[in-house]
């Protein structure tokens, strides 16, 4: 399974990344800084981008089977996703899945 994780370098995000890699999944980790996720694993692809870069975000999850948001609340509101009407963005699916 290919899983894209937004907020992969945060406390919860790192745990989700570790768990997915342990289960043999391929992980696309979307982070703000290249050095934020020092883990090196053959099934880990790190994508550096901001939440305002809709094209990069779409590219990060286009081939994914699942997308997980581990974004925490931020004092700086500029980090929040401002518009979810990204062209080509799939509608959320709330089907239960097992990692």
């Amino acid at each position: 399974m290919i899983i894209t994780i937004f907020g992969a370098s945060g406390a919860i995000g790192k745990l989700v990344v570790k768990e997915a890699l342990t289960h043999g999944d391929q992980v696309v980790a979307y982070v703000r800084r290249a050095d934020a996720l020092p883990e090196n694993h053959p099934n880990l692809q790190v994508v550096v981008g901001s939440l305002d870069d809709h094209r990069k975000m779409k590219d990060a999850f286009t081939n994914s089977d699942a997308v997980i948001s581990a974004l925490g609340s931020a004092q700086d509101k500029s980090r929040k996703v401002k518009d979810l009407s990204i062209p080509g963005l799939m509608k959320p699916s709330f089907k239960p899945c097992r990692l």
Side-chain angles (χ1 to χ4, degrees):
M1 177 181 276
I2 302 172
I3 303 172
T4 297
I5 303 170
F6 289 92
S9 62
I12 300 299
K14 286 179 181 176
L15 293 172
V16 175
V17 168
K18 181 179 178 181
E19 191 69 20
L21 292 173
T22 298
H23 282 101
D25 295 309
Q26 294 180 33
V27 174
V28 178
Y30 197 89
V31 297
R32 287 182 291 146
R33 295 182 334 271
D35 63 345
L37 195 64
E39 181 157 350
N40 188 9
H41 192 282
N43 286 350
L44 176 64
Q45 175 191 355
V46 177
V47 176
V48 179
S50 73
L51 297 178
D52 292 329
D53 192 339
H54 295 176
R55 179 175 299 215
K56 190 171 273 193
M57 288 175 65
K58 182 180 174 187
D59 290 345
F61 66 71
T62 294
N63 295 317
S64 295
D65 300 303
V67 177
I68 297 173
S69 173
L71 298 168
S73 61
Q75 298 291 334
D76 177 8
K77 302 297 183 201
S78 67
R79 288 179 39 205
K80 300 289 183 181
V81 176
K82 295 173 182 64
D83 182 8
L84 290 178
S85 60
I86 302 169
L89 178 67
M90 63 188 123
K91 296 213 186 274
S93 170
F94 297 102
K95 297 176 186 172
C97 67
R98 184 174 153 176
L99 292 178

